Amino acid sequence: MTKIWNSMKKIKLFIFAIFISVIAFAQEHNIYVAATDGNDSNSGNTVTNAFRTLATAQNKAKSIFKSNPSAKVNIYLREGVYYSSSNYIFNADDFGNGQSELIIAAYNEEKPILMGNRTIPRDKWKTLSNTAKERCHPNVDPSKLYELDLTTIGMNNITSLPDMFTTVWNSVDLFVGNDRMQLSQYPNVSQKVTEKSQLGWITCNGSKDASTFYYADGGSPADKDFTNELEYHDKTRAGRWKKSMGNGHDLWLKGNWRVPWDPITIKVKEINTTEKYIRFVKMPPLGMGSKYTAEVPDSNPVYRYGSGDETYFAINYLDEIDEPGEWAIDFKDKKIYFYPKAEKDLSNVILSDNNTSLVKLDGVSNITFSGIEFNGNLGYGIEIVNGSKNITLEGCKIHNISSTGIHIEKSSEIRIQSNDIFNIGSFAIYAKQCGNLYTLTDANIIIDNNHIYNMGLLAFNGGIGLLECAGFTISHNLIHDTPKSCIENRNGIKILIEYNEMHNIALKSGDTGAVYSYGGWYTYGNVLRYNFIHHICRGNGLYPDDGDSGDVMYNNIIHGGVNGFHVGGGHDNLMYNNMIVNCQKINIDNRGIDRNYRLGTKYEQDLTRFSVNATPWSKWGEDLMREYKYQTNLWTEILTEEYGPEKPRNCSFNDNVLIEVGEMKISDIKD
């Protein structure tokens, strides 16, 4: 009997030990951080014994996860500014086991700020040197400008800009407090040089060769307008620029040299004030002159005469600082020149110089950021890459980022919800290769209930950009004030876009849309519904471009655009139960005939790479036909000469309400 009792006692003790170990294994840990009065020598275990830096809290979380892989750790940030000269990295070795959980949150609804920028002491700003004064704009008192010697503060990005670049700003960014200051340009952002000019732009006057344009007489522009807009209000401007270049101060022009979107910035090689032309060090891609004008015969390399509507402006030149708030970086002098709005602003200058991400999540799982402000960084604000999953960003403020606000690549199971994302240099949110188009695996990424505005301020990009993604939901967002599109879906499938409000679109670019879709014969399964789109400016409402196919668009309200719908030669684009108000036209065109969207081209190759006659694509085609009642036999019928895939097959425009729509241009979409 004693033996039985002892055995039972041992069993109970064993069970109790297991119980205790399970509790310990799943233990929850709290770490507290206070930027204002914390100390990294503290334990970080209580509010009154908080760490001072997030980096120290990270290290403690790493040690907890190392000893207990299934632990849950909460890092609570008190109100204050957390400065960082480098990024906060959460990598797979320390946070990626898939069992642990990490939450980084504002403590008790306080307002912690992760700051990637650096403050500049007032005493670093000096009055202009005599040589700098000589370059000042003739309408500006040089005593109102100041210079900052970047070699005295250890800056990273002071070598030069590339000879040619498009979508990335490659140097520092300057703020006064939370206000981004304007990089100098001519014309100024709000300047209308002539009655015909666009705000902030002037035009070329025809091409001289593949890398040279006339700024006055000399070319053969299609519009026959030879107005010298460069010197319209200042006859000395070209000469002033030429003199500064001769003294080693490089000049860049940003312009729509061939197409009216994606402007390209190129360094100037020569300004000829006698023959009135400007030559670049590199040829714009495919040569100078609008692609909508004729090629110059026997030209090698090929270029075009030009339309006279190619727009451009000069950027980042001391010579054109003429408004308070403007600044420029001079790579020869290694100085920033700044015209403050008030002298007191010099005590509150902040520079973006960290071109790594402010926060990088690299192959990690189960991490949440809640209620955090991400304020200022030259690189990405938040980068989520390399198979990261189960990531949540909620209730955060992400602003003053000079690149993309949130960059996601090859990751899944992400929720971006109820954030404010604004004053962004490039895309507010950009996702690349999330989900798998070959296996039709959804990324399961949700972008919901965010306020996204004032993006594309340094590189003309839009609100949300997707590239080769599958399985997204973009819903209940307010997106506005964008130079291009609000949502851009390139080569994506199974994207649901619903219940969004989008307005003040295409502020600086034409040939775009509130939702711009690009792909080919395979980009099916995208649904756009219940969206309110208004104040579209020079853009279109919903725009499936260049053969993009299979978009289902219904129950949307579209007001005040060029084309309410602009469908560019694709198949099976369905438009029904929409209301289109005060748009110039509805356009469903057959561009594929002239542009060769035929068998044997990339359109066939892009579709057949997915092995469409085998699962899962064959079954998905059947499911799409059943759900949307497509008249096209997916996918085999598209791949036959009889079908004629170069035509906009089986698109439909039914049961829509049109009010004050100027023109209906719908190609023969049946045969």
Side-chain angles (χ1 to χ4, degrees), residues 32-292:
Y32 299 88
V33 190
T36 55
D37 58 2
N39 191 316
D40 285 341
S41 297
N42 291 339
S43 67
N45 293 336
T46 65
V47 175
T48 57
N49 204 24
F51 292 136
R52 186 177 185 85
T53 64
L54 175 57
T56 304
Q58 272 185 276
N59 288 332
K60 183 168 183 177
K62 290 178 188 178
S63 64
I64 292 171
F65 291 137
K66 185 175 181 179
S67 61
N68 187 353
S70 293
K72 177 181 179 182
V73 174
N74 303 305
I75 298 177
Y76 293 110
L77 301 182
R78 301 294 307 274
E79 190 157 326
V81 180
Y82 296 80
Y83 290 98
S84 176
S85 59
S86 60
N87 56 352
Y88 297 103
I89 299 177
F90 298 83
N91 58 40
D93 291 339
D94 299 315
F95 300 95
N97 61 64
Q99 304 173 51
S100 61
E101 182 179 0
L102 175 64
I103 297 176
I104 301 173
Y107 173 77
N108 199 25
E109 298 186 359
E110 293 184 7
K111 297 179 180 179
I113 300 170
L114 298 187
M115 174 70 75
N117 293 342
R118 58 190 298 183
T119 58
I120 304 301
R122 169 63 182 88
D123 62 7
K124 293 293 185 180
W125 290 101
K126 310 297 182 183
T127 56
L128 291 190
S129 66
N130 289 331
T131 54
K133 288 179 181 178
E134 293 177 2
R135 291 180 57 202
C136 282
H137 192 282
N139 296 338
V140 172
D141 180 356
S143 67
K144 295 184 178 180
L145 273 66
Y146 294 82
E147 63 181 46
L148 171 67
D149 187 342
L150 297 175
T151 63
T152 66
I153 58 174
M155 298 294 289
N156 296 320
N157 298 285
I158 58 175
T159 52
S160 182
L161 295 173
D163 288 348
M164 182 164 64
F165 59 97
T166 53
T167 59
V168 177
W169 176 241
N170 292 274
S171 187
V172 298
D173 203 0
L174 187 147
F175 298 82
V176 172
N178 278 323
D179 297 327
R180 173 182 275 111
M181 296 294 100
Q182 176 62 52
L183 189 70
S184 73
Q185 69 174 66
Y186 173 77
N188 293 318
V189 175
S190 59
Q191 183 177 4
K192 189 175 177 66
V193 174
T194 73
E195 285 301 314
K196 295 181 180 179
S197 300
Q198 298 180 32
L199 289 176
W201 299 87
I202 54 177
T203 57
C204 304
N205 286 347
S207 305
K208 176 177 173 58
D209 57 44
S211 58
T212 311
F213 70 92
Y214 290 99
Y215 62 86
D217 294 346
S220 301
D223 64 0
K224 307 301 181 185
D225 184 350
F226 296 95
T227 304
N228 183 354
E229 297 176 34
L230 177 63
E231 300 180 304
Y232 195 77
H233 295 294
D234 178 4
K235 300 301 182 185
T236 70
R237 176 166 283 111
R240 291 192 292 108
W241 290 1
K242 181 177 180 179
K243 181 179 178 181
S244 290
M245 288 178 57
N247 291 325
H249 303 285
D250 291 334
L251 170 66
W252 282 261
L253 303 182
K254 185 171 188 171
N256 296 300
W257 313 113
R258 188 172 181 272
V259 294
W261 63 88
D262 291 338
I264 300 169
T265 306
I266 315 178
K267 186 164 78 173
V268 175
K269 180 179 182 180
E270 175 192 2
I271 298 177
N272 188 310
T273 55
T274 302
E275 298 183 41
K276 309 293 185 184
Y277 66 74
I278 295 176
R279 173 169 287 130
F280 292 121
V281 299
K282 286 190 174 183
M283 180 186 80
L286 302 177
M288 183 65 67
S290 169
K291 77 173 203 174
Y292 303 111

Side-chain angles (χ1 to χ4, degrees), residues 458-614:
L458 298 176
F460 285 17
N461 288 317
I464 300 171
L466 310 180
L467 176 64
E468 297 176 357
C469 292
F472 275 61
T473 297
I474 302 173
S475 57
H476 305 102
N477 300 288
L478 174 59
I479 310 173
H480 61 92
D481 288 277
T482 166
K484 293 182 70 177
S485 57
C486 290
I487 300 172
E488 181 177 304
N489 176 23
R490 289 183 176 269
N491 309 102
I493 63 174
K494 299 197 287 182
I495 310 298
L496 175 61
I497 300 172
E498 63 178 0
Y499 298 107
N500 300 284
E501 181 179 356
M502 296 171 266
H503 66 85
N504 289 75
I505 300 145
L507 297 180
K508 291 187 179 293
S509 174
D511 199 25
T512 188
V515 180
Y516 176 84
S517 305
Y518 181 90
W521 299 347
Y522 65 91
T523 51
Y524 281 69
N526 300 319
V527 177
L528 299 80
R529 63 188 184 189
Y530 303 109
N531 298 290
F532 178 30
I533 300 167
H534 58 97
H535 294 84
I536 307 171
C537 192
R538 72 197 77 191
N540 307 298
L542 302 181
Y543 186 1
D545 192 16
D546 279 345
D548 184 84
S549 301
D551 284 359
V552 180
M553 299 165 276
Y554 65 90
N555 290 4
N556 300 285
I557 299 175
I558 302 171
H559 180 278
V562 178
N563 294 285
F565 287 93
H566 190 27
V567 180
H571 312 141
D572 296 311
N573 291 299
L574 310 182
M575 296 149 277
Y576 58 91
N577 292 349
N578 301 284
M579 179 180 288
I580 304 99
V581 183
N582 193 26
C583 292
Q584 295 178 25
K585 55 186 173 178
I586 305 295
N587 183 61
I588 303 174
D589 66 39
N590 57 7
R591 68 182 66 185
I593 297 174
D594 294 331
R595 298 186 185 183
N596 194 34
Y597 298 175
R598 290 177 168 83
L599 297 180
T601 66
K602 76 177 189 71
Y603 287 88
E604 178 182 5
Q605 295 164 8
D606 286 347
L607 176 60
T608 55
R609 65 188 164 127
F610 297 116
S611 302
V612 293
N613 294 323

Side-chain angles (χ1 to χ4, degrees), residues 95-100 361-368 384-392 410-415 443-445:
F95 300 95
N97 61 64
Q99 304 173 51
S100 61
L361 307 178
D362 188 352
V364 298
S365 304
N366 308 326
I367 295 181
T368 295
I384 307 171
V385 294
N386 294 330
S388 292
K389 61 182 180 180
N390 295 327
I391 307 298
T392 299
K410 295 181 179 178
S411 297
S412 61
E413 308 294 336
I414 296 167
R415 180 179 289 272
N444 290 322
I445 293 178

